Amino acid sequence: MFAILAFIVSSVIALPATIFVALTFFVTPWFARKILTYEYEESVPVINGKVADSELAVTFHGVLMSNPHVISLKLQNTGRADVTSAMFDQATPISFDLGVQVAAILHVSYRPPSMRSPNVALVNRALSIGPSFIPHGAVLEWVLLVDDSCEKMTCTHSLEGVNVKRRIPSAEWKSGIRLRVILTYTCFAFLIWWAIQQPTAAAHLLHNIGNVLSSSANELSRFVASI
């Protein structure tokens, strides 16, 4: 019985160690990760109702807009490293397709103020960015005038070694945190219940865990000494 428990405990300890070694060799260190996150606010109508039913009209370059809306788009470098122009494969920009015609960029904001303005262009229904240098911690914001309600945005890119993802709304993030907390407390409650119901088995398990850890420490010490 003790041999079986020792085997189970050693397997449980060996698995995280194996995962750690694999992550060390195959996963980019946290201080070198390149991450761009983007978010956009739901489009807001410029006027209340259709132009035909309102005394207010919006035109762009002399063309009457049927259902003008305003949408805000934010792009942030939340990683630990800069994103350089060379990372844009074949100089392909990041493209944010809004699904509706983009008429104009009403406002831009780049932080830090000292950063060089990125290459930005409007291409039909999309806002394209780059190739450009986006420093660590940079925040880029655009306010766009579009000719309909924007319900969904699609991001495409060809950046090499850069993770581009949409920022999770705070409500969803908090719900995920709550779920993890509930699962953690459930696991602790189960362990306490098991220790109360099976005190002898719990004591044996702790004893074997101590033996395995002690043996592992001795083997590690001998390995370091032999280097």
Side-chain angles (χ1 to χ4, degrees), residues 1-226:
M1 181 64 180
F2 289 119
I4 295 175
L5 289 175
F7 173 76
I8 294 174
V9 172
S10 61
S11 300
V12 171
I13 295 175
L15 180 60
T18 304
I19 295 175
F20 175 78
V21 172
L23 291 176
T24 302
F25 283 96
F26 298 107
V27 178
T28 305
W30 67 271
F31 55 81
R33 291 176 184 170
K34 303 175 182 64
I35 303 174
L36 293 179
T37 58
Y38 66 93
E39 60 181 300
Y40 62 92
E41 297 179 359
E42 184 177 355
S43 56
V44 178
V46 176
I47 55 180
N48 187 16
K50 298 289 185 178
V51 173
D53 302 326
S54 174
E55 297 180 355
L56 176 66
V58 177
T59 62
F60 181 72
H61 286 177
V63 178
L64 180 66
M65 300 184 68
S66 60
N67 192 20
H69 280 64
V70 172
I71 184 171
S72 175
L73 170 64
K74 179 188 291 185
L75 179 67
Q76 302 181 71
N77 184 345
T78 55
R80 297 287 178 174
D82 299 332
V83 174
T84 65
S85 301
M87 296 175 184
F88 290 77
D89 185 33
Q90 298 183 1
T92 303
I94 306 172
S95 178
F96 291 99
D97 189 340
L98 283 72
V100 295
Q101 186 66 36
V102 183
I105 301 176
L106 301 179
H107 177 73
V108 297
S109 174
Y110 302 140
R111 300 192 299 273
S114 58
M115 72 173 288
R116 181 179 298 178
S117 298
N119 299 319
V120 177
L122 295 179
V123 183
N124 296 326
R125 304 183 309 174
L127 175 74
S128 66
I129 305 159
S132 300
F133 178 76
I134 305 176
H136 159 64
V139 180
L140 300 82
E141 297 182 78
W142 299 270
V143 177
L144 308 172
L145 176 65
V146 298
D147 197 10
D148 208 345
S149 175
C150 176
E151 299 178 355
K152 184 179 180 180
M153 178 183 294
T154 303
C155 175
T156 57
H157 69 92
S158 60
L159 287 165
E160 297 179 339
V162 181
N163 183 13
V164 181
K165 58 184 180 180
R166 183 182 175 188
R167 182 176 180 273
I168 301 176
S170 58
E172 296 181 20
W173 182 81
K174 289 179 180 179
S175 64
I177 292 296
R178 285 196 293 269
L179 178 60
R180 287 194 291 271
V181 170
I182 291 173
L183 291 176
T184 301
Y185 279 115
T186 302
C187 291
F188 276 117
F190 172 77
L191 291 175
I192 293 173
W193 173 85
W194 178 73
I196 294 174
Q197 294 294 322
Q198 303 289 337
T200 304
H204 285 314
L205 178 60
L206 291 176
H207 175 73
N208 282 281
I209 291 175
N211 289 338
V212 171
L213 292 177
S214 177
S215 176
S216 299
N218 291 332
E219 292 296 331
L220 179 60
S221 177
R222 282 196 291 268
F223 171 74
V224 173
S226 65

